[in-house]
Amino acid sequence: MRICNLASGSSGNCTYIETKNTRLLIDNGKPLSYVFNALNELGVDPMTITAILITHEHSDHIKGIRKFCEQYHTSIYAHINIRDEIKSQIPIDEHLYNFFDSDFDIGDLHIQPFPLPHDSKFCVGYRIEEEDAIVSICTDLGHFSEDTFNAIKSSALVYLEANYDMEMLMAYPKYPPFLKKRISGKNGHLSNIDCARAIEKLTNSGTRLVVLSHISEHSNTENLAVNTIANYLETRNIIPNVNIRLDIAHHETRGTIFRITPTSQR
């Protein structure tokens, strides 16, 4: 698999995953021109995208999908629990809709959706497998439960939310108290320190690469997220760049390109 985050954060989210026979976008909350240019940098024709997988119905994850599908006739996949919301917010040709309530396959990829605790109608993460090569997308969650851990443990690569720093969140003057409570609640977003605790468990399960994602532009910074998480892991004898690699999914620029290879292809 070739994997690359194209954008991450409240201004729009999109991740690209490719195998020999399949090309997916996970969410698309960016303008058509942005995604076109990002895919062009990867040498990918948008017309060849097999499908778009939707995590949930919030606009920063879906607002670019309608125009993309109208332009390129791309199929979309979403959980059956948000069928009405998706059909209302993304009015496209009927044959492009696909709704699931369990595991499914697209080309040579096996997709395992799993529920996430977030203040949307229904939110899922994805465990995506090409044979024994596993990548998981796990953003927009208020807490990291045992069920979430079991869904993504042993993944080679995890895109995991590190949304906010608690002190910065509470000090940010433009967020009213109710919004701060929502963000930091059990169904909001994941803080740096909670992300660090999740990475500790994932590292012990065999994960060796985590991309810090959905970093807030107002209540966090990339450096603060990395340093907070690295410092916590070191107290648990987990050394960044030795036991685990940490990377960043940026707001407005393409992230690192990763390649995860099944055992049979090594």
Side-chain angles (χ1 to χ4, degrees):
M1 278 187 279
R2 183 168 69 140
I3 309 99
C4 181
N5 182 260
L6 306 185
S8 182
S10 58
S11 62
N13 297 271
C14 189
T15 302
Y16 173 72
I17 297 181
E18 170 191 293
T19 64
K20 182 178 179 180
N21 300 314
T22 308
R23 292 178 170 181
L24 303 180
L25 294 180
I26 312 300
D27 290 330
N28 181 4
K30 301 297 285 185
L32 182 63
S33 59
Y34 180 97
V35 178
F36 177 89
N37 290 334
L39 290 173
N40 187 60
E41 287 184 21
L42 297 174
V44 176
D45 181 350
M47 187 66 75
T48 67
I49 298 297
T50 311
I52 301 173
L53 308 187
I54 296 171
T55 59
H56 63 294
E57 78 280 6
H58 285 169
S59 63
D60 56 324
H61 293 261
I62 67 169
K63 63 187 175 185
I65 292 178
R66 178 180 179 179
K67 287 188 176 180
F68 192 96
C69 291
E70 289 176 343
Q71 181 72 25
Y72 301 113
H73 309 289
T74 310
S75 296
I76 64 174
Y77 286 72
H79 196 277
I80 191 67
N81 285 2
I82 56 171
R83 175 174 181 161
D84 292 344
E85 287 76 12
I86 292 304
K87 297 190 82 169
S88 173
Q89 294 186 55
I90 310 173
I92 55 177
D93 289 346
E94 188 70 26
H95 73 278
L96 297 177
Y97 294 116
N98 298 271
F99 296 100
F100 58 79
D101 61 3
S102 61
D103 298 5
F104 57 98
D105 295 323
I106 300 178
D108 47 6
L109 290 173
H110 183 64
I111 316 294
Q112 295 177 260
F114 52 92
L116 290 175
H118 189 52
D119 57 353
S120 61
K121 172 71 174 180
F122 196 77
C123 184
V124 299
Y126 291 104
R127 179 185 176 102
I128 300 172
E129 302 182 21
E130 182 191 18
E131 300 179 22
D132 60 352
I134 303 170
V135 173
S136 291
I137 310 291
C138 187
T139 65
D140 294 74
L141 67 164
H143 64 279
F144 189 78
S145 68
E146 194 67 21
D147 286 343
T148 302
F149 169 67
N150 287 331
I152 67 174
K153 65 182 179 181
S154 74
S155 299
L157 165 60
V158 176
Y159 286 84
L160 182 65
E161 180 169 70
N163 182 255
Y164 67 93
D165 171 79
M166 183 62 81
E167 290 186 9
M168 284 189 67
L169 175 64
M170 293 301 141
Y172 187 59
K174 294 186 178 181
Y175 283 172
F178 81 87
L179 182 55
K180 295 176 181 180
K181 184 177 181 179
R182 181 185 74 80
I183 291 170
S184 60
K186 288 289 187 180
N187 294 310
H189 290 278
L190 207 64
S191 70
N192 290 340
I193 194 65
D194 287 335
C195 178
R197 295 187 180 110
I199 293 173
E200 177 186 6
K201 295 189 68 172
L202 289 169
T203 303
N204 292 332
S205 81
T207 297
R208 292 294 175 262
L209 176 57
V210 174
V211 181
L212 309 181
S213 305
H214 218 301
I215 296 173
S216 172
E217 298 177 56
H218 305 300
S219 55
N220 208 357
T221 69
E222 292 181 359
N223 286 339
L224 180 57
V226 170
N227 290 337
T228 299
I229 291 166
N231 289 339
Y232 173 88
L233 293 175
E234 287 174 0
T235 68
R236 299 300 193 269
N237 296 315
I238 298 171
I239 310 304
N241 297 321
V242 175
N243 306 114
I244 187 75
R245 177 181 170 184
L246 301 178
D247 203 278
I248 295 288
H250 306 291
H251 298 140
E252 296 287 342
T253 56
R254 177 178 59 77
T256 304
I257 300 170
F258 300 104
R259 298 180 186 275
I260 308 297
T261 307
T263 300
S264 64
Q265 298 180 21
R266 294 173 192 165

